[in-house]
Amino acid sequence: MNPHQLVFWILSVIAIGGALGVILSRNPVASVLFLIVTFFAVSGHYILLNAQFLAIVNIIVYAGAIMVLFLYVIMLMNLNGDVEPQKSKLLQFAGIISGGILFLVLLAAFKTTQLSTTPINASTSIGLISELGQVLFTRFVFPFEISSILFLSAMVGAVVIGKKD
Amino acid sequence: MLLLSIDWSFIIEKLILISVILGASLGVATYATWGERKVAAWMQDRKGPSRAGPFGLLQPIADGIKLFFKEEIIPNDANRFLFILGPSLAMLTACMASAVVPWGPSIELESGRVIALQVADINIGILYVFGVVSVGVYGIMLGGWASNNKYSLMGSVRAASQAISYELAMGISLIALLMMTGTLSLAEIVNQQHGFWENGWFTWNVAKQPLGFIIFLVCAFAELNRAPFDLPEAESELVAGYHTEYSSMKLGFYLFAEYVNLFISSAILITLFFGGYNFPFMDQVAGSVSPVVFSIICVLVLLTKTIMMILFFMFIRWTIPRFRYDQLMNLGWKSLIPLALVNMLITGAIIIWVLN
């Protein structure tokens, strides 16, 4: 096992453990913190793939901004493990059944998948910011601009909702 | 075989560098507390700390010992784990940003080995700083929430909204700078500001991006939670804001992290806008002394500039009164962000039509 693989395994354990913590912990604040841990582990995976820009943007945007807003809302709503309303038995039952069906479908899908044995490394510098910028502003410039218009309309929508007194 | 494949001398070199930088930032931060009290005293016509040692120089050490020996109180209804995690995170993120600051030019030893005076020259250097800054707010938020106190919660909510609002203007003002430098690596940005005067203009970025610098500086004040933007700990309304319930060294960590942040962000401001370790006539100096001595001179130049920046932060703190909360939000969203966008447009126009 080389250092690269060792780091990969450690990061994977942290990521999966964090993701389990998000859904298993009763305290919403703890869930948010576990989600932040997961984001950091995923960023670590990006760095292993030499996609440094994606890694740091993942931390700035998700761990740094969106999760702060999540935490903000949860703190203001003062949700705690013991005041959380209990779901009815019927809902729990429905949840178990639909979850089980999803699990079956996933299992069936994974069973027939063939793992590609040849690793895809077209270029190791593909994740660096200059390469990413080149691709975004030449090959994918149209979808890129469309998605920025989407963001702009979301911003305008937020302002309209906020203006309504 | 795993242990043999690692370049141990490289790791040891980096470990020594990290320890020196951490020690230096903690040392500077310690004496920044002393400096702040002296500056405040001087501006208010008082004496300031003057009993412990000559000029009160032992005062920070006495304060540290006092904080260590105070009784540690954790409120009954507090979330114990998060209550302790808060100040720890504040301190951790304060120290993390120092990793990408280039403290001096690389030293080339006679054996051919090059020692870089920067822990990591990553090609996303400045974005790394942004990442650390955006994670830094968790220390305050978690500490304030875990205290289970309304004043603390108000303080941490204010800290979060303030940090997010000013990060935007800070990022946009920096984009204009990055458009001129064309790189995100801090080492490269410092190299481009070599010397002081070239081709009929200053090489330092502050002369190329004056508006960007002012926006960045105001946002740095807000991100550091320093007066006039210290609303998260506004003592007249919120007792002490997010650290109301803290005592002993956990309080010390919060207060100390603020000064470590002050030091590191001053160093980053100097690196980005005031030429980092570059100084006028550095080529002549480099020619007349040995490379090691030259590197030491460069590090001292950077430290001097950084300390001048810290003093500027302190002068502002003791000159300008605290903003009101709505004024803070208006300044951030309605003045600084449009101004930063205009600055970005002007920079783009100049790059296309004047420089080319």
Side-chain angles (χ1 to χ4, degrees), chain B residues 13-86:
Chain B
E13 177 197 311
K14 289 294 178 196
L15 274 181
I16 293 172
L17 189 63
I18 291 170
S19 334
V20 170
I21 288 172
L22 269 186
S25 1
L26 295 181
V28 171
T30 311
Y31 276 90
T33 63
W34 173 83
E36 175 117 78
R37 294 168 72 174
K38 275 289 184 195
V39 166
W42 175 60
M43 295 184 80
Q44 297 168 348
D45 212 6
R46 293 185 283 115
K47 265 190 166 172
S50 58
R51 298 299 174 89
F55 308 107
L57 271 173
L58 297 178
Q59 189 68 39
I61 298 163
D63 283 342
I65 295 171
K66 186 196 84 170
L67 280 170
F68 263 115
F69 285 101
K70 281 226 166 179
E71 188 190 353
E72 191 167 316
I73 300 165
I74 296 183
N76 274 339
D77 289 331
N79 184 328
R80 275 186 78 92
F81 177 69
L82 294 183
F83 193 76
I84 297 169
L85 186 70

Side-chain angles (χ1 to χ4, degrees), chain A residues 27-163:
Chain A
N27 187 341
V29 172
S31 287
V32 172
L33 293 181
F34 274 119
L35 197 52
I36 295 165
V37 171
T38 314
F39 282 139
F40 270 93
V42 171
S43 278
H45 280 300
Y46 281 138
I47 290 174
L48 282 185
L49 294 169
N50 209 15
Q52 304 174 356
F53 181 68
L54 278 184
I56 201 72
V57 165
N58 189 36
I59 286 180
I60 294 176
V61 175
Y62 287 93
I66 295 181
M67 283 300 117
V68 168
L69 289 178
F70 267 54
L71 207 59
Y72 193 95
V73 171
I74 287 172
M75 282 177 178
L76 285 182
M77 283 161 68
N78 203 16
L79 292 172
N80 278 316
D82 35 288
V83 296
E84 202 183 348
Q86 287 295 312
K87 308 274 187 304
S88 71
K89 275 277 182 295
L90 188 70
L91 268 178
Q92 284 182 354
F93 198 62
I96 291 170
I97 288 180
S98 49
I101 291 171
L102 181 67
F103 182 68
L104 269 182
V105 171
L106 282 179
L107 210 63
F110 280 130
K111 198 166 170 291
T112 53
T113 323
Q114 291 196 335
L115 286 174
S116 69
T117 47
T118 49
I120 307 155
N121 45 3
S123 160
T124 47
S125 61
I126 193 102
L128 299 186
I129 185 163
S130 53
E131 317 287 318
L132 205 67
Q134 286 284 342
V135 173
L136 267 186
F137 283 99
T138 52
R139 236 181 102 192
F140 297 108
V141 67
F142 188 65
F144 182 74
E145 295 295 336
I146 292 283
S147 59
S148 21
I149 290 171
L150 197 70
F151 277 122
L152 188 67
S153 60
M155 263 166 71
V156 172
V159 170
V160 168
I161 293 172
K163 273 278 177 191

